[in-house]
Amino acid sequence: MAAGRPEGAGKITFSNAAEQLLDNGYEPIPVKPGQKAPALSRWTSVVIDEAAIETWRVRHSSCGVGLRTGHLIGIDIDILGPDRAHAAQTLAMERFGETLVRVGRWPKHLLLYRTDTPFTKMKAGQVEILGLGQQFVAFGLHPGTGRQYSWPLGETPLEVPLSDLPVIDQTAAAAFLAEIGPTDHQLNASSGAGRRRKAAGSGDPVRDAQGRITDGRDAWLSQIAFHAVQDVLEAGDVPDVNQLAVQVWQRFAGSSDLSRPKQDGARAYDFSDAARKVQDKLRLARDGRLPPRDTTTQEPEYEAPTLSVEDGRAQLAALLHTFCEQVQVWHQGGGDRLPALGIRATVGLGKSRVARDNLISLAADLRAQGLPHRILVFTASHALAEETAASWQAAGANVAVLRGYERNDPISGAPMCRDLDAVRAALASAQKVRESACSGANGAKCQFFDGCLKQRNLRDVAAADVVVAPYDALFSGLAFERDDVALLMVDEGCWARALEQLSGVFVENIPDELIAGMGGDQIGRGPVGAMADLMVFRGKVAAALVANGPGPVSRTALQEADLTVDDCQRAAQLERWRLRDAKLYPGMPTAERRNAFRIAAGNARILLLAALWQSLANLLASSNEASGQLLIKEPDASGRHEVTLRRVRGLHESLRGKPVLHLDATMRPAIVQRILPDLEADLIDVAAPHMQVRMVSGSFGKSMLCPASGLVPEEAARRANRLQECVEYVQWHARRVFPGRVLVVTYKSIEAAFADIPNVEVAHFNAIAGLDCYNDVGLLISIGRPLPPSQELEALTGAYFGHVPQGRYRRDVAGIRMRSGQNRSLGVLRHEDELAETLRAAICDDELIQVIGRGRGVNRTIQNPLEVHVLSDVVLPLVYDRLTTWDVERPDVLQRMLLAGVAVDSPADAAALHSQLFKNGHQAKMAFERGGFKAQNPMNSSYREMCLKSAAYKRAGRGRGWQRAMWIDGDAATARQRLEAALGDLALWQPE
C-alpha cells in the first residue's frame, strides 16, 4: 500500500485521474468502460494537452484510463505460467530497475519504464514491449475478470511521475527479449475452446475459452499462494495472513471457474481455501522448507579471454620451441615420455605458421645428426593439403602431397590410378596394395605402372622431407621403405574422420554364414572340431541377438546365451582362420582376376564377422550393460534385423609410437584422446577487442529454413518465407557495409539463396575449416547451426565412447558474457547425457567457432574491425557486444521497400509502387500497422544502422496530402522517376 491507496487502487475514472496523470508527464486517453479499446477514434496521433483533457473529462467522464506509450514504455508479460511470468518480471527489474507493476489477470504483469528516444513495438513470444503507437489500460475494469486493474506494489502513475521511472533504450529492450527466449505457447494457447482436457494434477492447468482455470484449480490456488508469500518474503515485509489471503483469493477468483464445486466434494471454493493455502506456505517458510524461486541469471561457463594477441603469440612460440627440444631429445634416445602435445589456440593466432617455422628448423637439426627427420602433416581434405603444401614450400621445405589412389591429379585432372579394382581387392583382403596391385617382388607390374601418376606421387613422397596428407592417411597409414619419420603434425580436428561403420550382417543369417575355408586352401576339409565350435558360437550369438531385439546390444543378453569373453575372442580367431590367399599380383590375367577378386570379397566378409566378434568380446569384458557401438536395427521389409558396428579407428600401426603435434582451435581432449591417447593439451585463448559480435536469438534450424521433399504446401511456404527473411537480412546488411566483403555461412542446401547478393560470398558448414581467404571480410554472418538429430548424436556417442546415452535434447539456459561486463542468459538446446553433450558441442558449437574464425578477429585493428552476426540459439565462448532477437531484427515493411528501391509512408502508394510485396492497399496498410508504422510514427532518415535519403512529395489531384519517400542508393531524380512510373506525375517534390 502506498499513499493510502490499496492494491486495486480504488475505482479511478478518466474524470478524476487524467489531469494528475498529465501533470506527472503521462499521456492519458479515455478507454471504454470494461474494455481495453480507447474511446477516441484517432488516439495514436491526437495532441494530448490540458485543453484535450478538459474536453475528454466531460465527454468520457466514466471511462477507464489508458496511457499512450512512446516516451512511456510498457513491458507486457502476457504469460499464464506463474513461474515464467515471475522470472520475466524479475529479469526485467534486474536489467532495468525496480518500477511500477500493473496486473490485470494474474500472473500476467505489465511493467512501466521510460525512454529518451521512442521506438516502435517489439515482441518475442508472449512478451511485448509497447512503444510508439501503443497504449495500455492503467485504471479500469478488466474485461476478463470483471475486476479493477491492480498495482500490487502499491504505487501507481498517480504518485510516480514519468520522469522518475527507470530508463530503457531499444538495444537493451531487444537484449531483454532475447534473454526471455520463447515463452510457453502451450500455456497461452490453452485458452482455446478446442483444447484437450487433462486431469487435474497431470501438468498445466486446463482453461476454458475465456481463459479461466477449469481443471487443476487446487494446484493453481497453491501456485498463487506460493508466489504471493514469496513476494512478501523477498520484499522483507512481515507477512499478514489475512491480507495475503485476500490477495490470493482475488487472484484465484479472477482466473478460475468457481461455478463448479471442488473435486473432492460438493462444497465450492471460498476465501477459507485461500487462507489455508497461505498458512501452509508460511508454515513451510518458518520451517525453512519453502522452495526458492530460481530467477538468477545463469553464470557463463567460460571466462572471457584477456590475453593480448602479442602475448598469445609469444606463449605459442614458447610452447612450440619447448616441444621441438623434447622431440629432438627423444630421437637422441633421451626422455622417458613420448612427446605428444595438443595446442588449442584461438583461430587467427598463426599456429600453423609458427609450427611450420619451428618444425622446419627441427627437421634440419635432426637430418644433420642422421636422425629421423621426416615431418608428416595431416589436414582436413585433399584441397587443404595442396594449400598447406604450398605454404611449406614457400617457407623453404622440400614438400610433397600424398594423393589417394581414387583421386585425380590436381593439374591434369587425370586419375591417379587406372586399375582401382585391383587396389580395392587388395584392401579388402588387408594386403599391401603396392605388392599386390602395383609392382610385385617377382618383377610383375601393373600394365599402367610406367606412366602411373600414383607411382610418380609415391616417388615424390619418398623424396620429400615434409609429406602432407588428408586425415584418412592417419588410419590407413603411409608406406615408407625406411622409418625416418620425426613426428606427426595434425592440423585442426581430425576426430570426425576416425569414425568407421561396418554393416551387412543380419541376425537371422549368422548361423548360415559360410563355414568353409578353415585350414587354408582345403575348402570344406578344415578341422572338424574348429568348424563345429564356430557353428556353436554362431548359434549362441544369433539366439542372444534375437532375444536382445532392436537397439543396443546388451551384455545380459550375451551372458544369458552362455557366451563369454573367451568364446567371442575364439570365434574371432576361427573366423580369421578362414581367410584365404587371393594370390593377388600385379598384371593378373582377366580369368585369374575374377577368382582372386571373389576370394578378396570373401575375405572382406570374414574380417567383418571377426570385427563383430571382437566387439562382442569387448562388451563382455567391460562394465557396461550395453554397447554403444553395436546396434540391432528395426526389421527390414524381409523381417531381418541388421547389426551395425560403429567404432573409432585408431592410428595406423605404421604411425604409432611417433611424436605428435596437434593444433586445433576447438580441441576437446575427451574426444581427440580416443585417437591420440597420449596427447597433453595446452590452451591459448586470445581476446579480440576489434571483433564486434551480435547474437540474434531465434529459430534457424534446418526445419525452419531448408526445403525438403514431401512437405505439405503450407510447411514448404513457411520455410520459404523464413529463408526469404534471412536473405533480406543479408541484403540489408550487405548494403550497409558496401563495398566491404561479406561472408555468409549456412546450410549447404540453401547456399544458392544468397549467391547473387552483391559483395556477398557464401560457404556452408563443415567446409570452411582452415580456409584463410576470408581474413579481410568486413561482415561475417552465420545462419543456423550444424545440430545432429538426437538419434544420430546418440549413435555417435556410442561409437566414440562405447556408451549408450541416457536422456534426450532439452531446453536449457546458458550464460554469456557481454563487453559491458554484464552477464546475460540465453535459451539453448543441449543433450542431457554428458558425453553426448560433449559431442554435440564439438559438432555444433565448435563448427560455429571455426566459422567465426574465418574472419581472423584477433588480427583486426581499429582501422579494419570485424563485425560478426550469429543467427542461432547457441552460446559460444565469446564476448558479445549486442544481444537481440529475430522478432526484432527480421526485415520489416520499410526495409523490404527500401531493398526493392524506394519506400513511402503511404500504404496506398506502397501498394502501387511495390506490387510484388502487397496485393492491394489494405494489405499494405495492415503490413504498416504490424510494423508499427502508423500516422504518428515518422520514418526516420537513419534506420537500423543505415543512412537514408528522403524527399517529401505530393501527388497530383485535390485532397492529396504530403507523403515521404526514402531510398538508399541513387539520387533524388532517380527516386522521383521510380515513384512517377508507378504513381503518375507528382505535383510537388522536395528533396530533404
Side-chain angles (χ1 to χ4, degrees), residues 790 793-794 803 805-812 829-838 840:
S790 179
L793 176 65
E794 289 153 18
H803 162 73
Q806 302 299 312
R808 56 184 176 81
Y809 278 132
R810 60 175 172 80
R811 296 297 302 181
D812 200 0
L829 198 65
R830 289 175 166 170
H831 201 283
E832 292 175 318
D833 186 274
E834 183 178 354
L835 290 176
E837 172 57 19
T838 298
R840 183 213 62 78

PDB file of all heavy atoms in Angstrom, residues 790 793-794 803 805-812 829-838 840:
ATOM      1  N   SER A 790      18.910 -36.123 -32.749  1.00  0.00           N
ATOM      2  CA  SER A 790      19.171 -36.800 -31.481  1.00  0.00           C
ATOM      3  C   SER A 790      19.634 -38.240 -31.697  1.00  0.00           C
ATOM      4  O   SER A 790      20.601 -38.699 -31.076  1.00  0.00           O
ATOM      5  CB  SER A 790      17.920 -36.774 -30.600  1.00  0.00           C
ATOM      6  OG  SER A 790      18.155 -37.434 -29.380  1.00  0.00           O
ATOM      7  N   LEU A 793      23.188 -38.291 -32.975  1.00  0.00           N
ATOM      8  CA  LEU A 793      24.135 -37.908 -31.926  1.00  0.00           C
ATOM      9  C   LEU A 793      24.362 -39.058 -30.958  1.00  0.00           C
ATOM     10  O   LEU A 793      25.488 -39.325 -30.537  1.00  0.00           O
ATOM     11  CB  LEU A 793      23.603 -36.678 -31.177  1.00  0.00           C
ATOM     12  CG  LEU A 793      24.445 -36.216 -29.997  1.00  0.00           C
ATOM     13  CD1 LEU A 793      25.813 -35.727 -30.464  1.00  0.00           C
ATOM     14  CD2 LEU A 793      23.733 -35.116 -29.215  1.00  0.00           C
ATOM     15  N   GLU A 794      23.293 -39.739 -30.586  1.00  0.00           N
ATOM     16  CA  GLU A 794      23.420 -40.835 -29.635  1.00  0.00           C
ATOM     17  C   GLU A 794      24.199 -41.999 -30.238  1.00  0.00           C
ATOM     18  O   GLU A 794      24.974 -42.670 -29.544  1.00  0.00           O
ATOM     19  CB  GLU A 794      22.023 -41.254 -29.165  1.00  0.00           C
ATOM     20  CG  GLU A 794      21.403 -40.198 -28.246  1.00  0.00           C
ATOM     21  CD  GLU A 794      19.884 -40.178 -28.262  1.00  0.00           C
ATOM     22  OE1 GLU A 794      19.282 -41.180 -28.715  1.00  0.00           O
ATOM     23  OE2 GLU A 794      19.301 -39.174 -27.822  1.00  0.00           O
ATOM     24  N   HIS A 803      29.407 -45.946 -25.162  1.00  0.00           N
ATOM     25  CA  HIS A 803      28.458 -45.599 -24.101  1.00  0.00           C
ATOM     26  C   HIS A 803      27.085 -45.397 -24.719  1.00  0.00           C
ATOM     27  O   HIS A 803      26.946 -44.748 -25.753  1.00  0.00           O
ATOM     28  CB  HIS A 803      28.952 -44.320 -23.420  1.00  0.00           C
ATOM     29  CG  HIS A 803      27.931 -43.592 -22.621  1.00  0.00           C
ATOM     30  ND1 HIS A 803      27.467 -44.037 -21.412  1.00  0.00           N
ATOM     31  CD2 HIS A 803      27.268 -42.432 -22.863  1.00  0.00           C
ATOM     32  CE1 HIS A 803      26.581 -43.177 -20.939  1.00  0.00           C
ATOM     33  NE2 HIS A 803      26.438 -42.200 -21.811  1.00  0.00           N
ATOM     34  N   PRO A 805      23.905 -43.432 -24.548  1.00  0.00           N
ATOM     35  CA  PRO A 805      23.477 -42.199 -23.872  1.00  0.00           C
ATOM     36  C   PRO A 805      22.110 -42.348 -23.221  1.00  0.00           C
ATOM     37  O   PRO A 805      21.229 -43.048 -23.726  1.00  0.00           O
ATOM     38  CB  PRO A 805      23.425 -41.173 -25.013  1.00  0.00           C
ATOM     39  CG  PRO A 805      24.218 -41.769 -26.116  1.00  0.00           C
ATOM     40  CD  PRO A 805      24.075 -43.244 -25.989  1.00  0.00           C
ATOM     41  N   GLN A 806      21.956 -41.657 -22.119  1.00  0.00           N
ATOM     42  CA  GLN A 806      20.675 -41.598 -21.423  1.00  0.00           C
ATOM     43  C   GLN A 806      20.132 -40.180 -21.555  1.00  0.00           C
ATOM     44  O   GLN A 806      20.868 -39.205 -21.430  1.00  0.00           O
ATOM     45  CB  GLN A 806      20.844 -41.954 -19.940  1.00  0.00           C
ATOM     46  CG  GLN A 806      21.451 -43.329 -19.716  1.00  0.00           C
ATOM     47  CD  GLN A 806      20.606 -44.448 -20.289  1.00  0.00           C
ATOM     48  OE1 GLN A 806      19.392 -44.493 -20.073  1.00  0.00           O
ATOM     49  NE2 GLN A 806      21.239 -45.353 -21.027  1.00  0.00           N
ATOM     50  N   GLY A 807      18.843 -40.061 -21.780  1.00  0.00           N
ATOM     51  CA  GLY A 807      18.244 -38.735 -21.874  1.00  0.00           C
ATOM     52  C   GLY A 807      17.991 -38.342 -23.317  1.00  0.00           C
ATOM     53  O   GLY A 807      17.965 -39.172 -24.229  1.00  0.00           O
ATOM     54  N   ARG A 808      17.855 -37.052 -23.537  1.00  0.00           N
ATOM     55  CA  ARG A 808      17.461 -36.522 -24.840  1.00  0.00           C
ATOM     56  C   ARG A 808      17.881 -35.060 -24.914  1.00  0.00           C
ATOM     57  O   ARG A 808      18.416 -34.500 -23.959  1.00  0.00           O
ATOM     58  CB  ARG A 808      15.944 -36.634 -25.012  1.00  0.00           C
ATOM     59  CG  ARG A 808      15.174 -35.940 -23.893  1.00  0.00           C
ATOM     60  CD  ARG A 808      13.677 -36.141 -24.005  1.00  0.00           C
ATOM     61  NE  ARG A 808      12.959 -35.553 -22.883  1.00  0.00           N
ATOM     62  CZ  ARG A 808      12.649 -34.275 -22.756  1.00  0.00           C
ATOM     63  NH1 ARG A 808      12.988 -33.428 -23.703  1.00  0.00           N
ATOM     64  NH2 ARG A 808      12.014 -33.815 -21.702  1.00  0.00           N
ATOM     65  N   TYR A 809      17.589 -34.430 -26.041  1.00  0.00           N
ATOM     66  CA  TYR A 809      17.767 -32.990 -26.138  1.00  0.00           C
ATOM     67  C   TYR A 809      16.766 -32.294 -25.215  1.00  0.00           C
ATOM     68  O   TYR A 809      15.624 -32.741 -25.067  1.00  0.00           O
ATOM     69  CB  TYR A 809      17.514 -32.498 -27.563  1.00  0.00           C
ATOM     70  CG  TYR A 809      18.681 -32.654 -28.508  1.00  0.00           C
ATOM     71  CD1 TYR A 809      18.505 -33.214 -29.769  1.00  0.00           C
ATOM     72  CD2 TYR A 809      19.953 -32.212 -28.163  1.00  0.00           C
ATOM     73  CE1 TYR A 809      19.571 -33.343 -30.661  1.00  0.00           C
ATOM     74  CE2 TYR A 809      21.016 -32.336 -29.037  1.00  0.00           C
ATOM     75  CZ  TYR A 809      20.822 -32.901 -30.275  1.00  0.00           C
ATOM     76  OH  TYR A 809      21.876 -33.017 -31.144  1.00  0.00           O
ATOM     77  N   ARG A 810      17.191 -31.218 -24.604  1.00  0.00           N
ATOM     78  CA  ARG A 810      16.282 -30.443 -23.749  1.00  0.00           C
ATOM     79  C   ARG A 810      16.669 -28.972 -23.836  1.00  0.00           C
ATOM     80  O   ARG A 810      17.800 -28.613 -24.153  1.00  0.00           O
ATOM     81  CB  ARG A 810      16.366 -30.904 -22.300  1.00  0.00           C
ATOM     82  CG  ARG A 810      17.761 -30.758 -21.690  1.00  0.00           C
ATOM     83  CD  ARG A 810      17.784 -31.106 -20.213  1.00  0.00           C
ATOM     84  NE  ARG A 810      19.132 -31.154 -19.696  1.00  0.00           N
ATOM     85  CZ  ARG A 810      19.851 -30.092 -19.341  1.00  0.00           C
ATOM     86  NH1 ARG A 810      19.327 -28.886 -19.473  1.00  0.00           N
ATOM     87  NH2 ARG A 810      21.082 -30.221 -18.865  1.00  0.00           N
ATOM     88  N   ARG A 811      15.682 -28.129 -23.564  1.00  0.00           N
ATOM     89  CA  ARG A 811      15.948 -26.699 -23.498  1.00  0.00           C
ATOM     90  C   ARG A 811      16.685 -26.389 -22.199  1.00  0.00           C
ATOM     91  O   ARG A 811      16.395 -26.955 -21.144  1.00  0.00           O
ATOM     92  CB  ARG A 811      14.648 -25.897 -23.528  1.00  0.00           C
ATOM     93  CG  ARG A 811      13.844 -26.032 -24.799  1.00  0.00           C
ATOM     94  CD  ARG A 811      14.553 -25.510 -26.028  1.00  0.00           C
ATOM     95  NE  ARG A 811      14.938 -24.123 -25.932  1.00  0.00           N
ATOM     96  CZ  ARG A 811      15.563 -23.467 -26.904  1.00  0.00           C
ATOM     97  NH1 ARG A 811      15.881 -24.077 -28.020  1.00  0.00           N
ATOM     98  NH2 ARG A 811      15.880 -22.204 -26.755  1.00  0.00           N
ATOM     99  N   ASP A 812      17.664 -25.525 -22.281  1.00  0.00           N
ATOM    100  CA  ASP A 812      18.449 -25.148 -21.111  1.00  0.00           C
ATOM    101  C   ASP A 812      18.727 -23.650 -21.198  1.00  0.00           C
ATOM    102  O   ASP A 812      18.428 -23.000 -22.208  1.00  0.00           O
ATOM    103  CB  ASP A 812      19.751 -25.942 -21.080  1.00  0.00           C
ATOM    104  CG  ASP A 812      20.398 -25.978 -19.705  1.00  0.00           C
ATOM    105  OD1 ASP A 812      19.823 -25.379 -18.776  1.00  0.00           O
ATOM    106  OD2 ASP A 812      21.468 -26.586 -19.572  1.00  0.00           O
ATOM    107  N   LEU A 829      19.767 -25.410 -26.723  1.00  0.00           N
ATOM    108  CA  LEU A 829      19.393 -26.818 -26.765  1.00  0.00           C
ATOM    109  C   LEU A 829      20.616 -27.645 -26.434  1.00  0.00           C
ATOM    110  O   LEU A 829      21.663 -27.495 -27.069  1.00  0.00           O
ATOM    111  CB  LEU A 829      18.864 -27.177 -28.158  1.00  0.00           C
ATOM    112  CG  LEU A 829      18.049 -28.466 -28.267  1.00  0.00           C
ATOM    113  CD1 LEU A 829      16.749 -28.348 -27.467  1.00  0.00           C
ATOM    114  CD2 LEU A 829      17.734 -28.775 -29.725  1.00  0.00           C
ATOM    115  N   ARG A 830      20.475 -28.517 -25.440  1.00  0.00           N
ATOM    116  CA  ARG A 830      21.581 -29.375 -25.029  1.00  0.00           C
ATOM    117  C   ARG A 830      21.081 -30.794 -24.825  1.00  0.00           C
ATOM    118  O   ARG A 830      19.888 -31.020 -24.697  1.00  0.00           O
ATOM    119  CB  ARG A 830      22.198 -28.848 -23.717  1.00  0.00           C
ATOM    120  CG  ARG A 830      22.986 -27.561 -23.877  1.00  0.00           C
ATOM    121  CD  ARG A 830      23.442 -27.041 -22.546  1.00  0.00           C
ATOM    122  NE  ARG A 830      24.463 -25.994 -22.678  1.00  0.00           N
ATOM    123  CZ  ARG A 830      24.886 -25.236 -21.685  1.00  0.00           C
ATOM    124  NH1 ARG A 830      24.377 -25.391 -20.459  1.00  0.00           N
ATOM    125  NH2 ARG A 830      25.820 -24.319 -21.884  1.00  0.00           N
ATOM    126  N   HIS A 831      22.041 -31.720 -24.780  1.00  0.00           N
ATOM    127  CA  HIS A 831      21.670 -33.114 -24.514  1.00  0.00           C
ATOM    128  C   HIS A 831      21.882 -33.400 -23.036  1.00  0.00           C
ATOM    129  O   HIS A 831      22.839 -32.932 -22.429  1.00  0.00           O
ATOM    130  CB  HIS A 831      22.489 -34.082 -25.368  1.00  0.00           C
ATOM    131  CG  HIS A 831      21.843 -35.426 -25.524  1.00  0.00           C
ATOM    132  ND1 HIS A 831      21.857 -36.379 -24.524  1.00  0.00           N
ATOM    133  CD2 HIS A 831      21.124 -35.960 -26.544  1.00  0.00           C
ATOM    134  CE1 HIS A 831      21.204 -37.458 -24.933  1.00  0.00           C
ATOM    135  NE2 HIS A 831      20.740 -37.227 -26.153  1.00  0.00           N
ATOM    136  N   GLU A 832      20.968 -34.185 -22.476  1.00  0.00           N
ATOM    137  CA  GLU A 832      21.033 -34.470 -21.047  1.00  0.00           C
ATOM    138  C   GLU A 832      22.206 -35.368 -20.686  1.00  0.00           C
ATOM    139  O   GLU A 832      22.691 -35.335 -19.553  1.00  0.00           O
ATOM    140  CB  GLU A 832      19.721 -35.131 -20.598  1.00  0.00           C
ATOM    141  CG  GLU A 832      18.530 -34.190 -20.670  1.00  0.00           C
ATOM    142  CD  GLU A 832      17.223 -34.872 -20.352  1.00  0.00           C
ATOM    143  OE1 GLU A 832      17.021 -36.010 -20.817  1.00  0.00           O
ATOM    144  OE2 GLU A 832      16.399 -34.269 -19.650  1.00  0.00           O
ATOM    145  N   ASP A 833      22.676 -36.176 -21.625  1.00  0.00           N
ATOM    146  CA  ASP A 833      23.807 -37.063 -21.358  1.00  0.00           C
ATOM    147  C   ASP A 833      25.113 -36.287 -21.514  1.00  0.00           C
ATOM    148  O   ASP A 833      25.321 -35.600 -22.515  1.00  0.00           O
ATOM    149  CB  ASP A 833      23.773 -38.244 -22.327  1.00  0.00           C
ATOM    150  CG  ASP A 833      24.837 -39.273 -22.020  1.00  0.00           C
ATOM    151  OD1 ASP A 833      25.982 -39.107 -22.502  1.00  0.00           O
ATOM    152  OD2 ASP A 833      24.541 -40.237 -21.302  1.00  0.00           O
ATOM    153  N   GLU A 834      25.989 -36.403 -20.544  1.00  0.00           N
ATOM    154  CA  GLU A 834      27.217 -35.590 -20.533  1.00  0.00           C
ATOM    155  C   GLU A 834      28.112 -35.871 -21.733  1.00  0.00           C
ATOM    156  O   GLU A 834      28.625 -34.951 -22.382  1.00  0.00           O
ATOM    157  CB  GLU A 834      27.992 -35.846 -19.242  1.00  0.00           C
ATOM    158  CG  GLU A 834      29.248 -35.001 -19.112  1.00  0.00           C
ATOM    159  CD  GLU A 834      29.978 -35.229 -17.800  1.00  0.00           C
ATOM    160  OE1 GLU A 834      29.440 -35.966 -16.938  1.00  0.00           O
ATOM    161  OE2 GLU A 834      31.081 -34.674 -17.626  1.00  0.00           O
ATOM    162  N   LEU A 835      28.303 -37.153 -22.083  1.00  0.00           N
ATOM    163  CA  LEU A 835      29.170 -37.475 -23.218  1.00  0.00           C
ATOM    164  C   LEU A 835      28.518 -37.094 -24.541  1.00  0.00           C
ATOM    165  O   LEU A 835      29.189 -36.606 -25.453  1.00  0.00           O
ATOM    166  CB  LEU A 835      29.518 -38.969 -23.197  1.00  0.00           C
ATOM    167  CG  LEU A 835      30.452 -39.404 -22.067  1.00  0.00           C
ATOM    168  CD1 LEU A 835      30.644 -40.921 -22.085  1.00  0.00           C
ATOM    169  CD2 LEU A 835      31.805 -38.704 -22.169  1.00  0.00           C
ATOM    170  N   ALA A 836      27.212 -37.293 -24.630  1.00  0.00           N
ATOM    171  CA  ALA A 836      26.507 -36.866 -25.840  1.00  0.00           C
ATOM    172  C   ALA A 836      26.578 -35.352 -25.993  1.00  0.00           C
ATOM    173  O   ALA A 836      26.731 -34.828 -27.107  1.00  0.00           O
ATOM    174  CB  ALA A 836      25.053 -37.334 -25.796  1.00  0.00           C
ATOM    175  N   GLU A 837      26.490 -34.632 -24.902  1.00  0.00           N
ATOM    176  CA  GLU A 837      26.582 -33.169 -24.953  1.00  0.00           C
ATOM    177  C   GLU A 837      27.983 -32.731 -25.385  1.00  0.00           C
ATOM    178  O   GLU A 837      28.141 -31.745 -26.107  1.00  0.00           O
ATOM    179  CB  GLU A 837      26.223 -32.577 -23.600  1.00  0.00           C
ATOM    180  CG  GLU A 837      26.467 -31.084 -23.458  1.00  0.00           C
ATOM    181  CD  GLU A 837      25.735 -30.241 -24.492  1.00  0.00           C
ATOM    182  OE1 GLU A 837      24.768 -30.727 -25.115  1.00  0.00           O
ATOM    183  OE2 GLU A 837      26.138 -29.085 -24.683  1.00  0.00           O
ATOM    184  N   THR A 838      29.011 -33.460 -24.958  1.00  0.00           N
ATOM    185  CA  THR A 838      30.373 -33.152 -25.397  1.00  0.00           C
ATOM    186  C   THR A 838      30.479 -33.253 -26.914  1.00  0.00           C
ATOM    187  O   THR A 838      31.055 -32.381 -27.582  1.00  0.00           O
ATOM    188  CB  THR A 838      31.382 -34.107 -24.734  1.00  0.00           C
ATOM    189  OG1 THR A 838      31.345 -33.928 -23.321  1.00  0.00           O
ATOM    190  CG2 THR A 838      32.793 -33.855 -25.243  1.00  0.00           C
ATOM    191  N   ARG A 840      27.876 -33.126 -29.053  1.00  0.00           N
ATOM    192  CA  ARG A 840      27.013 -32.102 -29.656  1.00  0.00           C
ATOM    193  C   ARG A 840      27.759 -30.781 -29.767  1.00  0.00           C
ATOM    194  O   ARG A 840      27.737 -30.103 -30.794  1.00  0.00           O
ATOM    195  CB  ARG A 840      25.734 -31.898 -28.843  1.00  0.00           C
ATOM    196  CG  ARG A 840      24.780 -30.876 -29.489  1.00  0.00           C
ATOM    197  CD  ARG A 840      24.005 -30.096 -28.461  1.00  0.00           C
ATOM    198  NE  ARG A 840      24.824 -29.309 -27.584  1.00  0.00           N
ATOM    199  CZ  ARG A 840      25.377 -28.141 -27.891  1.00  0.00           C
ATOM    200  NH1 ARG A 840      25.196 -27.620 -29.087  1.00  0.00           N
ATOM    201  NH2 ARG A 840      26.137 -27.491 -27.021  1.00  0.00           N
TER     202      ARG A 840
END
